[in-house]
Amino acid sequence: MAEPKIRLHVDQPLAPGQAVALTEGQANYLFAVMRLPAGAELRLFNGRDGEWRAEVVEATKRRGVLVCRALMAPQVAPPDLWLVFAPVKKERTHFIVEKAVELGVSRLLPVATRFTTAERLRTDKARAHAIEAAEQCGATHVPEVAEVQPLERLLAGWPDGRRLFWADESLAGQGGWEGATPGPAAVLIGPEGGFSDDEKARLRGLSFVTPVSLGPRILRAETAAVAALVLWQVRFGDWR
Ligand code: SAM
């Protein structure tokens, strides 16, 4: 049997024979845009129960019901890697969220720093982008997107046992990562204006922070996020 191509994220639990009622938006997408007929199959995931082959049993433009037929892939957690980043312009933040999901992170934590210029982050939109990216890249996990919080508050409550790899632009061209060790981790990327002197001093004084370089050139924030995640994944993640 050919593998169904369409992959859809739903909120409901998934299990053998489980019926899944679609939202109006999902029904419109599947039946009006993709023109799936009753009896067609697609892949479903919800971020908790793996990926399921499901059959369309009721299809109208506004309503639809699917039934789970078989488990196609088990639930797989990404590596225990968080991305901590200062939101930038809307499209570039969208890029950061999308690439972080594709590259494999377990949480996205936007932070407000001294030079963060983005007015605000629409967390609902960022969460929708994370779901779209997971649908597209085949991930069964959808990383949580937290509300924006001040960098200082995040640092003050930092969990024991998690290393924070701080992409420090002042180390550009000076190597880095030599002392890095595996284990629960996070990568910190600053805004277009970089970190303030106060923030740099604070980060340097924290025992759980390891400053790292991302090569000899100063990267845009979104490029830096991709580069840092790749560097960590290659060393410690599920790419090895
Ligand atoms: N305005 C800053 C400057 O000229 O120094 C550059 C900020 S950069 C556009 C945005 C963020 O990307 C930085 O805060 C840092 O976290 C990261 N970054 C960019 N290039 C880097 C590099 N070569 N090494 C380490 N971090 C880098």
Side-chain angles (χ1 to χ4, degrees):
M1 195 190 298
E3 300 263 295
K5 288 204 170 49
I6 297 178
R7 207 164 176 267
L8 186 72
H9 177 274
V10 294
D11 291 325
Q12 296 94 324
L14 302 175
Q18 173 76 47
V20 176
L22 298 174
T23 64
E24 196 175 324
Q26 289 167 333
N28 183 61
Y29 167 68
L30 291 181
F31 309 134
V33 179
M34 302 308 292
R35 305 210 165 267
L36 280 192
E41 292 193 322
L42 66 156
R43 300 159 181 235
L44 289 187
F45 71 109
N46 61 7
R48 308 180 297 278
D49 299 325
E51 178 177 287
W52 288 77
R53 181 189 292 272
E55 183 187 337
V56 177
V57 295
E58 190 186 323
T60 71
K61 279 189 187 168
R62 288 168 175 249
R63 267 183 55 80
V65 178
L66 314 175
V67 171
C68 293
R69 295 297 184 212
L71 183 66
M72 295 181 72
Q75 183 64 29
V76 176
D80 192 357
L81 175 65
W82 301 352
L83 175 63
V84 182
F85 69 102
V88 282
K89 290 202 177 89
K90 201 164 60 176
E91 285 308 312
R92 294 176 183 276
T93 299
H94 180 169
F95 178 93
I96 291 174
V97 171
E98 182 180 278
K99 298 311 156 202
V101 175
E102 290 177 27
L103 295 169
V105 301
S106 58
R107 284 182 87 191
L108 286 149
L109 295 142
V111 286
T113 65
R114 171 83 174 78
F115 298 138
T116 300
T117 49
E119 326 74 68
R120 67 195 188 101
L121 175 74
R122 287 281 308 269
T123 317
D124 55 338
K125 294 227 159 137
R127 287 176 182 147
H129 291 144
I131 287 173
E132 274 169 30
E135 283 175 340
Q136 179 272 329
C137 76
T140 49
H141 176 87
V142 181
E144 174 208 352
V145 182
E147 296 293 338
V148 181
Q149 61 184 307
L151 175 63
E152 178 47 40
R153 192 201 300 159
L154 180 70
L155 296 176
W158 194 254
D160 286 345
R162 182 174 298 275
R163 185 127 298 271
L164 179 59
F165 292 103
W166 162 34
D168 177 2
E169 64 266 18
S170 62
L171 291 182
Q174 295 181 39
W177 296 91
E178 289 79 16
T181 47
V187 155
L188 169 62
I189 305 294
E192 287 307 326
F195 292 98
S196 69
D197 289 343
D198 285 355
E199 287 166 340
K200 288 179 190 167
R202 172 86 170 113
L203 287 162
R204 285 203 184 94
L206 294 168
S207 60
F208 57 80
V209 170
T210 300
V212 290
S213 163
L214 302 177
R217 289 164 288 276
I218 301 293
L219 308 177
R220 297 194 75 127
E222 67 274 22
T223 319
V226 169
L229 294 175
V230 168
L231 284 167
W232 187 90
Q233 276 283 19
V234 168
R235 281 174 172 76
F236 308 122
D238 59 8
W239 291 23
R240 288 169 303 150

